[in-house]
Amino acid sequence: MRLGLEHTRAFLAYLGDPQRSLRNVVHLAGTNGKGSTAATLEALLRASGLRVGKYTSPHLIDFRERIVVDGEPIPAARVSSFNAKELAAIERMEITFFEATTALAMLYFAEMQVDAAVVETGLGGRLDSTNVIVPDVAVVTSIGIDHVEYLGSTLESIAGEKAGIFKAGAAAAIGDGNPAIAALLRGRALAAGSSPVVTLLERGWPSDVVVSAEGTSFTARDAEGVERRWRTPLVGRHQAANSAVALLAHDLLGAETALTAAACQDALDGVRLTGRFERRGAFILDVAHNPAGSGVLAATLEQVQPPRPVVTVLSVLSDKDWQGMMQQLAPYTDLFVLTIAPSAPDNRLWDPQVAHAYAAAAGWASVVETDLGVALERARGAGETVLVTGSFHTVGDALLRLPVSVHA
Protein backbone atom coordinates (compact mmCIF):
# COMPACT_ATOMS: atom_id res chain seq x y z
CA MET A 1 0.00 0.00 0.00
CA ARG A 2 1.15 3.53 -0.75
CA LEU A 3 -0.53 6.89 -0.30
CA GLY A 4 0.06 9.39 -3.07
CA LEU A 5 -1.00 10.10 -6.62
CA GLU A 6 2.25 10.19 -8.58
CA HIS A 7 2.37 6.52 -9.57
CA THR A 8 -1.33 6.32 -10.41
CA ARG A 9 -1.06 9.41 -12.61
CA ALA A 10 1.97 7.97 -14.38
CA PHE A 11 0.31 4.61 -14.99
CA LEU A 12 -2.91 6.20 -16.25
CA ALA A 13 -0.88 8.42 -18.58
CA TYR A 14 0.80 5.27 -19.91
CA LEU A 15 -2.70 3.83 -20.52
CA GLY A 16 -3.81 6.99 -22.36
CA ASP A 17 -5.53 8.76 -19.46
CA PRO A 18 -8.87 6.96 -19.85
CA GLN A 19 -10.30 8.76 -16.81
CA ARG A 20 -10.42 12.01 -18.80
CA SER A 21 -13.20 10.67 -20.98
CA LEU A 22 -15.55 10.08 -18.05
CA ARG A 23 -18.49 12.36 -17.30
CA ASN A 24 -21.12 12.63 -14.60
CA VAL A 25 -18.47 11.48 -12.15
CA VAL A 26 -19.30 11.26 -8.45
CA HIS A 27 -16.36 10.81 -6.08
CA LEU A 28 -17.16 9.45 -2.61
CA ALA A 29 -15.11 9.67 0.58
CA GLY A 30 -16.03 9.09 4.21
CA THR A 31 -15.25 6.84 7.16
CA ASN A 32 -18.57 4.98 6.95
CA GLY A 33 -21.51 5.00 4.57
CA LYS A 34 -19.64 5.07 1.26
CA GLY A 35 -20.85 1.68 0.08
CA SER A 36 -24.52 2.35 0.84
CA THR A 37 -24.35 5.80 -0.71
CA ALA A 38 -22.60 4.42 -3.81
CA ALA A 39 -25.23 1.71 -4.24
CA THR A 40 -28.04 4.24 -3.90
CA LEU A 41 -26.41 6.64 -6.36
CA GLU A 42 -25.89 3.82 -8.84
CA ALA A 43 -29.60 2.98 -8.64
CA LEU A 44 -30.63 6.62 -9.12
CA LEU A 45 -28.32 7.11 -12.11
CA ARG A 46 -29.46 3.92 -13.78
CA ALA A 47 -33.05 5.06 -13.28
CA SER A 48 -32.04 8.20 -15.18
CA GLY A 49 -31.37 5.99 -18.19
CA LEU A 50 -27.59 6.18 -17.96
CA ARG A 51 -24.99 3.44 -18.30
CA VAL A 52 -23.28 3.54 -14.91
CA GLY A 53 -19.86 2.38 -13.79
CA LYS A 54 -19.25 1.82 -10.08
CA TYR A 55 -15.84 1.36 -8.47
CA THR A 56 -15.79 0.30 -4.81
CA SER A 57 -13.51 -1.52 -2.40
CA PRO A 58 -12.84 -3.91 -0.85
CA HIS A 59 -14.69 -6.86 -2.31
CA LEU A 60 -16.45 -9.51 -0.24
CA ILE A 61 -15.93 -12.68 -2.30
CA ASP A 62 -14.89 -11.92 -5.89
CA PHE A 63 -12.41 -9.25 -6.99
CA ARG A 64 -14.72 -8.40 -9.88
CA GLU A 65 -17.25 -6.90 -7.41
CA ARG A 66 -15.01 -3.83 -7.31
CA ILE A 67 -15.59 -2.84 -10.96
CA VAL A 68 -19.19 -2.96 -12.14
CA VAL A 69 -21.06 -1.55 -15.15
CA ASP A 70 -24.85 -1.51 -15.03
CA GLY A 71 -24.80 -4.04 -12.22
CA GLU A 72 -22.54 -6.51 -14.03
CA PRO A 73 -19.04 -7.18 -12.66
CA ILE A 74 -16.12 -6.78 -15.03
CA PRO A 75 -15.63 -10.05 -16.96
CA ALA A 76 -12.89 -12.32 -15.66
CA ALA A 77 -11.44 -12.42 -19.17
CA ARG A 78 -10.99 -8.64 -19.16
CA VAL A 79 -9.14 -8.76 -15.85
CA SER A 80 -6.93 -11.53 -17.18
CA SER A 81 -6.18 -9.72 -20.42
CA PHE A 82 -5.28 -6.55 -18.49
CA ASN A 83 -2.90 -8.53 -16.31
CA ALA A 84 -1.32 -10.29 -19.27
CA LYS A 85 -0.81 -7.08 -21.23
CA GLU A 86 0.18 -4.70 -18.43
CA LEU A 87 1.98 -6.79 -15.81
CA ALA A 88 5.41 -5.91 -17.12
CA ALA A 89 4.60 -2.19 -16.98
CA ILE A 90 3.06 -2.58 -13.51
CA GLU A 91 6.24 -4.19 -12.25
CA ARG A 92 8.54 -1.74 -14.06
CA MET A 93 6.64 1.29 -12.75
CA GLU A 94 6.24 -0.27 -9.25
CA ILE A 95 2.47 0.08 -9.29
CA THR A 96 0.63 -1.24 -6.22
CA PHE A 97 -2.42 -3.51 -6.26
CA PHE A 98 -4.86 -0.69 -5.53
CA GLU A 99 -3.22 1.67 -8.03
CA ALA A 100 -3.45 -0.97 -10.75
CA THR A 101 -7.06 -1.77 -9.83
CA THR A 102 -8.01 1.90 -9.96
CA ALA A 103 -6.41 2.23 -13.38
CA LEU A 104 -8.20 -0.89 -14.62
CA ALA A 105 -11.53 0.54 -13.45
CA MET A 106 -10.95 3.81 -15.31
CA LEU A 107 -9.85 1.97 -18.44
CA TYR A 108 -12.84 -0.38 -18.36
CA PHE A 109 -15.33 2.44 -17.78
CA ALA A 110 -13.87 4.29 -20.77
CA GLU A 111 -14.03 1.15 -22.93
CA MET A 112 -17.66 0.59 -21.92
CA GLN A 113 -18.46 4.25 -22.65
CA VAL A 114 -20.30 4.72 -19.39
CA ASP A 115 -22.50 7.79 -19.05
CA ALA A 116 -21.76 8.17 -15.35
CA ALA A 117 -19.22 6.85 -12.86
CA VAL A 118 -19.49 6.42 -9.10
CA VAL A 119 -15.99 6.14 -7.63
CA GLU A 120 -15.34 5.34 -3.99
CA THR A 121 -12.06 6.20 -2.28
CA GLY A 122 -10.05 3.38 -0.79
CA LEU A 123 -8.50 5.19 2.17
CA GLY A 124 -8.76 8.87 3.08
CA GLY A 125 -9.15 11.10 0.07
CA ARG A 126 -6.37 13.62 -0.50
CA LEU A 127 -3.69 11.00 -1.23
CA ASP A 128 -5.97 8.14 -2.30
CA SER A 129 -5.29 6.74 -5.78
CA THR A 130 -8.81 7.58 -6.91
CA ASN A 131 -8.13 11.28 -6.38
CA VAL A 132 -6.69 11.49 -9.88
CA ILE A 133 -10.23 11.87 -11.24
CA VAL A 134 -11.96 15.18 -11.82
CA PRO A 135 -15.45 14.77 -10.37
CA ASP A 136 -18.63 16.60 -11.20
CA VAL A 137 -19.75 16.04 -7.60
CA ALA A 138 -17.56 15.19 -4.62
CA VAL A 139 -19.33 13.62 -1.62
CA VAL A 140 -18.11 13.17 1.93
CA THR A 141 -20.51 10.91 3.82
CA SER A 142 -19.53 10.77 7.49
CA ILE A 143 -16.39 11.18 9.56
CA GLY A 144 -15.27 8.78 12.28
CA ILE A 145 -12.04 7.60 13.86
CA ASP A 146 -10.32 5.05 11.65
CA HIS A 147 -6.93 4.56 9.95
CA VAL A 148 -5.36 6.91 12.50
CA GLU A 149 -1.86 5.85 11.45
CA TYR A 150 -2.49 7.41 8.03
CA LEU A 151 -5.18 10.05 8.55
CA GLY A 152 -4.61 11.38 12.07
CA SER A 153 -6.24 10.71 15.41
CA THR A 154 -8.88 13.45 15.51
CA LEU A 155 -12.12 13.95 13.61
CA GLU A 156 -10.75 17.26 12.34
CA SER A 157 -7.58 15.77 10.88
CA ILE A 158 -9.48 12.89 9.29
CA ALA A 159 -12.04 15.30 7.84
CA GLY A 160 -9.19 17.34 6.38
CA GLU A 161 -7.88 14.28 4.54
CA LYS A 162 -11.33 13.34 3.23
CA ALA A 163 -11.85 16.96 2.10
CA GLY A 164 -8.95 16.49 -0.31
CA ILE A 165 -11.41 15.19 -2.91
CA PHE A 166 -13.11 18.58 -3.26
CA LYS A 167 -12.19 20.24 -6.55
CA ALA A 168 -12.55 23.67 -8.12
CA GLY A 169 -15.73 23.94 -10.17
CA ALA A 170 -17.15 20.67 -8.90
CA ALA A 171 -20.19 20.50 -6.64
CA ALA A 172 -19.70 19.31 -3.07
CA ALA A 173 -22.23 17.31 -1.03
CA ILE A 174 -21.50 16.89 2.69
CA GLY A 175 -23.34 14.23 4.65
CA ASP A 176 -21.79 14.40 8.12
CA GLY A 177 -24.29 15.20 10.86
CA ASN A 178 -21.84 16.84 13.27
CA PRO A 179 -22.32 20.63 12.79
CA ALA A 180 -18.66 21.41 13.56
CA ILE A 181 -17.32 18.77 11.16
CA ALA A 182 -19.85 19.72 8.48
CA ALA A 183 -18.74 23.36 8.82
CA LEU A 184 -15.07 22.32 8.55
CA LEU A 185 -15.80 20.30 5.41
CA ARG A 186 -17.84 23.16 3.96
CA GLY A 187 -14.95 25.56 4.54
CA ARG A 188 -12.49 23.19 2.87
CA ALA A 189 -14.80 22.77 -0.12
CA LEU A 190 -15.18 26.52 -0.55
CA ALA A 191 -11.42 27.00 -0.21
CA ALA A 192 -10.91 24.41 -2.96
CA GLY A 193 -13.25 26.36 -5.24
CA SER A 194 -16.12 23.86 -5.14
CA SER A 195 -19.47 25.18 -6.28
CA PRO A 196 -22.15 24.75 -5.19
CA VAL A 197 -21.41 23.46 -1.69
CA VAL A 198 -24.39 21.91 0.09
CA THR A 199 -24.47 20.14 3.44
CA LEU A 200 -27.20 17.71 4.35
CA LEU A 201 -27.73 19.73 7.53
CA GLU A 202 -28.51 22.80 5.42
CA ARG A 203 -30.80 20.93 3.05
CA GLY A 204 -32.61 19.36 5.98
CA TRP A 205 -31.46 16.39 8.03
CA PRO A 206 -33.74 13.35 7.61
CA SER A 207 -36.47 13.27 10.23
CA ASP A 208 -39.18 10.90 11.47
CA VAL A 209 -36.91 7.94 10.79
CA VAL A 210 -38.61 4.56 11.19
CA VAL A 211 -36.50 1.40 11.10
CA SER A 212 -37.86 -2.11 10.64
CA ALA A 213 -36.51 -5.45 9.52
CA GLU A 214 -37.79 -4.59 6.02
CA GLY A 215 -35.95 -1.28 5.65
CA THR A 216 -35.91 2.37 6.66
CA SER A 217 -38.34 5.20 5.99
CA PHE A 218 -37.72 8.89 6.61
CA THR A 219 -38.78 12.42 5.72
CA ALA A 220 -36.40 14.61 3.69
CA ARG A 221 -36.55 17.38 1.13
CA ASP A 222 -36.38 16.75 -2.58
CA ALA A 223 -34.59 18.88 -5.19
CA GLU A 224 -37.37 21.49 -5.07
CA GLY A 225 -37.23 21.73 -1.28
CA VAL A 226 -40.48 19.82 -0.83
CA GLU A 227 -40.57 17.51 2.18
CA ARG A 228 -41.37 13.96 1.12
CA ARG A 229 -41.55 10.56 2.68
CA TRP A 230 -38.87 8.20 1.38
CA ARG A 231 -38.03 4.57 2.00
CA THR A 232 -35.01 2.34 1.37
CA PRO A 233 -34.65 -1.43 1.77
CA LEU A 234 -31.37 -0.77 3.62
CA VAL A 235 -31.86 -1.23 7.36
CA GLY A 236 -30.72 1.29 9.98
CA ARG A 237 -31.20 4.88 11.08
CA HIS A 238 -27.91 5.79 9.38
CA GLN A 239 -29.34 4.62 6.05
CA ALA A 240 -31.70 7.59 6.08
CA ALA A 241 -28.70 9.94 5.95
CA ASN A 242 -26.89 7.78 3.39
CA SER A 243 -29.96 7.77 1.14
CA ALA A 244 -30.53 11.49 1.61
CA VAL A 245 -26.96 12.43 0.72
CA ALA A 246 -27.18 10.18 -2.36
CA LEU A 247 -30.36 12.00 -3.40
CA LEU A 248 -28.55 15.32 -2.83
CA ALA A 249 -25.54 14.28 -4.93
CA HIS A 250 -27.84 13.03 -7.68
CA ASP A 251 -29.62 16.39 -7.74
CA LEU A 252 -26.31 18.25 -7.95
CA LEU A 253 -25.33 16.42 -11.14
CA GLY A 254 -27.91 18.47 -13.02
CA ALA A 255 -30.44 18.19 -15.80
CA GLU A 256 -29.11 15.09 -17.57
CA THR A 257 -29.73 12.92 -14.52
CA ALA A 258 -32.92 14.60 -13.24
CA LEU A 259 -35.77 12.37 -12.07
CA THR A 260 -39.20 12.93 -10.65
CA ALA A 261 -39.66 12.22 -6.96
CA ALA A 262 -41.68 9.12 -7.84
CA ALA A 263 -38.91 7.83 -10.10
CA CYS A 264 -36.36 8.47 -7.34
CA GLN A 265 -38.46 6.40 -4.95
CA ASP A 266 -38.73 3.59 -7.48
CA ALA A 267 -34.94 3.61 -7.73
CA LEU A 268 -34.53 3.55 -3.96
CA ASP A 269 -36.85 0.55 -3.76
CA GLY A 270 -34.40 -1.42 -5.90
CA VAL A 271 -31.24 -0.74 -3.88
CA ARG A 272 -29.47 -3.91 -2.73
CA LEU A 273 -26.16 -4.11 -0.89
CA THR A 274 -24.58 -7.27 0.45
CA GLY A 275 -23.20 -7.18 3.97
CA ARG A 276 -24.98 -4.10 5.33
CA PHE A 277 -27.27 -5.42 8.05
CA GLU A 278 -28.18 -8.14 5.60
CA ARG A 279 -30.59 -10.78 6.88
CA ARG A 280 -30.11 -14.36 5.68
CA GLY A 281 -32.33 -16.60 7.76
CA ALA A 282 -31.11 -16.45 11.35
CA PHE A 283 -27.91 -14.70 10.23
CA ILE A 284 -27.26 -10.97 10.11
CA LEU A 285 -24.14 -9.93 8.21
CA ASP A 286 -22.60 -6.48 8.59
CA VAL A 287 -19.18 -5.23 7.48
CA ALA A 288 -18.78 -2.73 10.36
CA HIS A 289 -15.03 -2.53 10.97
CA ASN A 290 -14.49 0.39 13.35
CA PRO A 291 -16.18 1.61 16.56
CA ALA A 292 -18.35 4.12 14.70
CA GLY A 293 -19.62 1.43 12.36
CA SER A 294 -20.19 -0.96 15.25
CA GLY A 295 -22.07 1.77 17.11
CA VAL A 296 -24.38 2.20 14.14
CA LEU A 297 -24.81 -1.59 13.98
CA ALA A 298 -25.64 -1.68 17.71
CA ALA A 299 -28.22 1.08 17.25
CA THR A 300 -29.84 -0.92 14.45
CA LEU A 301 -29.97 -4.02 16.64
CA GLU A 302 -31.69 -1.93 19.30
CA GLN A 303 -34.27 -0.74 16.77
CA VAL A 304 -34.93 -4.07 15.06
CA GLN A 305 -34.77 -6.26 18.19
CA PRO A 306 -33.84 -9.60 16.56
CA PRO A 307 -34.66 -12.75 18.54
CA ARG A 308 -32.39 -13.44 21.50
CA PRO A 309 -30.01 -14.89 22.33
CA VAL A 310 -27.80 -13.02 19.86
CA VAL A 311 -24.44 -14.69 19.23
CA THR A 312 -21.86 -12.44 17.59
CA VAL A 313 -19.24 -14.12 15.42
CA LEU A 314 -16.43 -11.57 15.45
CA SER A 315 -13.15 -11.32 13.59
CA VAL A 316 -11.38 -7.96 13.36
CA LEU A 317 -8.15 -6.89 11.70
CA SER A 318 -5.41 -6.25 14.26
CA ASP A 319 -4.90 -2.59 13.33
CA LYS A 320 -8.53 -1.75 14.13
CA ASP A 321 -9.92 -0.67 17.51
CA TRP A 322 -11.50 -4.03 18.27
CA GLN A 323 -11.88 -3.13 21.94
CA GLY A 324 -14.08 -0.17 21.00
CA MET A 325 -16.06 -2.38 18.63
CA MET A 326 -16.70 -4.98 21.33
CA GLN A 327 -17.79 -2.28 23.75
CA GLN A 328 -20.40 -1.11 21.26
CA LEU A 329 -21.71 -4.60 20.54
CA ALA A 330 -21.59 -6.09 24.04
CA PRO A 331 -25.00 -4.77 25.25
CA TYR A 332 -26.70 -6.55 22.33
CA THR A 333 -24.58 -9.72 22.39
CA ASP A 334 -25.28 -12.72 24.61
CA LEU A 335 -22.15 -14.55 23.50
CA PHE A 336 -19.11 -13.59 21.43
CA VAL A 337 -17.61 -16.32 19.26
CA LEU A 338 -14.15 -14.99 18.47
CA THR A 339 -12.63 -16.32 15.28
CA ILE A 340 -10.25 -15.62 12.41
CA ALA A 341 -11.32 -14.74 8.86
CA PRO A 342 -9.29 -17.01 6.54
CA SER A 343 -8.82 -14.30 3.92
CA ALA A 344 -7.46 -11.72 6.38
CA PRO A 345 -3.85 -10.75 5.57
CA ASP A 346 -1.28 -12.54 7.72
CA ASN A 347 0.25 -9.26 8.84
CA ARG A 348 -3.12 -7.97 10.09
CA LEU A 349 -4.41 -11.04 11.95
CA TRP A 350 -5.80 -10.32 15.38
CA ASP A 351 -5.34 -12.63 18.36
CA PRO A 352 -8.77 -13.88 19.47
CA GLN A 353 -7.28 -15.17 22.71
CA VAL A 354 -6.37 -11.60 23.67
CA ALA A 355 -9.91 -10.52 22.81
CA HIS A 356 -11.24 -13.44 24.90
CA ALA A 357 -9.25 -12.22 27.91
CA TYR A 358 -10.53 -8.69 27.33
CA ALA A 359 -14.11 -9.96 27.24
CA ALA A 360 -13.61 -11.97 30.44
CA ALA A 361 -12.26 -8.91 32.25
CA ALA A 362 -15.32 -6.94 31.11
CA GLY A 363 -17.73 -9.67 32.17
CA TRP A 364 -18.85 -10.62 28.65
CA ALA A 365 -19.42 -14.24 27.67
CA SER A 366 -17.05 -15.36 24.92
CA VAL A 367 -15.45 -18.42 23.39
CA VAL A 368 -12.62 -18.81 20.88
CA GLU A 369 -13.06 -20.91 17.72
CA THR A 370 -10.40 -20.03 15.17
CA ASP A 371 -12.00 -22.06 12.35
CA LEU A 372 -14.65 -19.75 10.90
CA GLY A 373 -16.83 -22.55 9.55
CA VAL A 374 -16.92 -24.24 12.95
CA ALA A 375 -17.51 -20.85 14.60
CA LEU A 376 -20.60 -20.27 12.46
CA GLU A 377 -21.98 -23.72 13.28
CA ARG A 378 -21.31 -23.24 16.99
CA ALA A 379 -22.97 -19.83 16.96
CA ARG A 380 -26.05 -21.12 15.17
CA GLY A 381 -26.41 -23.84 17.75
CA ALA A 382 -26.17 -21.37 20.63
CA GLY A 383 -28.35 -18.51 19.44
CA GLU A 384 -31.61 -17.55 17.81
CA THR A 385 -29.78 -14.80 15.90
CA VAL A 386 -26.19 -14.97 14.64
CA LEU A 387 -24.49 -11.65 13.94
CA VAL A 388 -21.40 -11.90 11.72
CA THR A 389 -19.25 -8.78 11.72
CA GLY A 390 -15.83 -7.18 12.17
CA SER A 391 -14.47 -6.73 8.65
CA PHE A 392 -15.16 -7.23 4.95
CA HIS A 393 -13.00 -10.37 5.18
CA THR A 394 -15.21 -11.76 7.95
CA VAL A 395 -18.46 -11.25 6.07
CA GLY A 396 -17.10 -12.38 2.71
CA ASP A 397 -15.59 -15.53 4.17
CA ALA A 398 -18.79 -16.26 6.09
CA LEU A 399 -20.91 -15.93 2.95
CA LEU A 400 -18.84 -18.69 1.35
CA ARG A 401 -19.51 -20.96 4.34
CA LEU A 402 -23.19 -20.37 5.10
CA PRO A 403 -25.59 -23.20 4.28
CA VAL A 404 -26.99 -23.02 0.74
CA SER A 405 -30.52 -22.66 2.14
CA VAL A 406 -29.54 -19.37 3.80
CA HIS A 407 -28.69 -17.81 0.43
CA ALA A 408 -32.24 -17.99 -0.86
Side-chain angles (χ1 to χ4, degrees):
M1 199 192 87
R2 173 177 53 218
L3 290 176
L5 309 181
E6 179 182 354
H7 286 77
T8 307
R9 283 178 174 148
F11 189 47
L12 281 167
Y14 159 80
L15 294 173
D17 281 321
Q19 77 282 5
R20 293 184 179 177
S21 69
L22 303 180
R23 58 196 185 90
N24 294 316
V25 177
V26 181
H27 197 190
L28 292 165
T31 306
N32 294 302
K34 295 190 299 294
S36 300
T37 304
T40 304
L41 265 169
E42 178 190 28
L44 290 165
L45 289 166
R46 291 182 66 186
S48 300
L50 305 183
R51 169 173 272 196
V52 182
K54 183 179 68 170
Y55 177 48
T56 58
S57 62
H59 60 272
L60 285 169
I61 296 174
D62 186 336
F63 168 85
R64 298 182 306 126
E65 298 167 24
R66 295 172 179 244
I67 304 170
V68 174
V69 172
D70 277 356
E72 293 295 324
I74 183 172
R78 184 64 189 94
V79 179
S80 297
S81 65
F82 176 82
N83 288 341
K85 182 179 179 183
E86 308 302 349
L87 183 58
I90 289 170
E91 292 179 341
R92 183 180 72 253
M93 300 173 73
E94 299 183 340
I95 303 302
T96 67
F97 166 81
F98 189 71
E99 290 167 345
T101 304
T102 299
L104 171 58
M106 301 302 105
L107 183 63
Y108 184 62
F109 292 166
E111 290 171 352
M112 296 296 287
Q113 298 181 334
V114 300
D115 303 307
V118 178
V119 179
E120 180 188 299
T121 59
L123 192 157
R126 181 176 64 93
L127 297 176
D128 187 77
S129 292
T130 61
N131 206 27
V132 297
I133 63 174
V134 179
D136 295 279
V137 180
V139 181
V140 175
T141 55
S142 67
I143 303 297
I145 300 296
D146 200 4
H147 300 296
V148 295
E149 67 273 34
Y150 302 110
L151 307 179
S153 58
T154 67
L155 292 176
E156 290 77 11
S157 63
I158 294 169
E161 289 297 318
K162 309 286 187 187
I165 70 168
F166 296 135
K167 301 289 192 305
I174 296 166
D176 196 274
N178 180 327
I181 297 301
L184 185 156
L185 290 167
R186 177 181 174 79
R188 294 295 182 91
L190 290 170
S194 300
S195 179
V197 178
V198 185
T199 72
L200 194 54
L201 286 169
E202 293 169 325
R203 175 152 163 166
W205 194 258
S207 61
D208 302 320
V209 179
V210 176
V211 179
S212 73
E214 288 69 47
T216 307
S217 60
F218 58 97
T219 298
R221 293 188 184 128
D222 64 13
E224 283 72 46
V226 177
E227 285 200 342
R228 296 185 182 276
R229 196 73 185 157
W230 305 94
R231 63 184 177 274
T232 173
L234 304 180
V235 179
R237 178 170 292 273
H238 59 296
Q239 297 296 0
N242 291 337
S243 298
V245 79
L247 287 163
L248 169 58
H250 181 258
D251 293 341
L252 291 174
L253 276 172
E256 185 179 1
T257 66
L259 290 173
T260 65
C264 286
Q265 181 56 68
D266 287 344
L268 292 183
D269 287 338
V271 175
R272 298 291 182 272
L273 188 60
T274 303
R276 275 67 167 187
F277 206 85
E278 182 184 11
R279 303 292 291 265
R280 298 202 179 196
F283 291 84
I284 298 173
L285 301 111
D286 195 283
V287 296
H289 54 276
N290 52 49
S294 294
V296 166
L297 173 55
T300 306
L301 291 168
E302 171 69 24
Q303 291 154 351
V304 173
Q305 291 288 311
R308 306 286 292 246
V310 174
V311 179
T312 297
V313 176
L314 185 68
S315 177
V316 186
L317 297 178
S318 61
D319 54 351
K320 299 294 184 178
D321 180 6
W322 55 264
Q323 297 96 329
M325 295 170 66
M326 292 184 74
Q327 289 167 14
Q328 294 283 2
L329 295 172
Y332 308 96
T333 296
D334 298 291
L335 172 68
F336 283 104
V337 178
L338 307 170
T339 188
I340 294 175
S343 69
D346 289 343
N347 65 343
R348 300 177 73 191
L349 290 178
W350 80 328
D351 187 342
Q353 292 291 351
V354 174
H356 179 53
Y358 180 78
W364 307 326
S366 71
V367 296
V368 174
E369 177 48 70
T370 55
D371 184 292
L372 177 60
V374 176
L376 292 168
E377 292 176 3
R378 187 168 179 177
R380 185 65 188 96
E384 289 297 316
T385 300
V386 178
L387 173 65
V388 182
T389 189
S391 75
F392 279 80
H393 296 281
T394 309
V395 171
D397 291 344
L399 285 169
L400 291 171
R401 288 163 175 80
L402 291 183
V404 173
S405 60
V406 175
H407 291 266

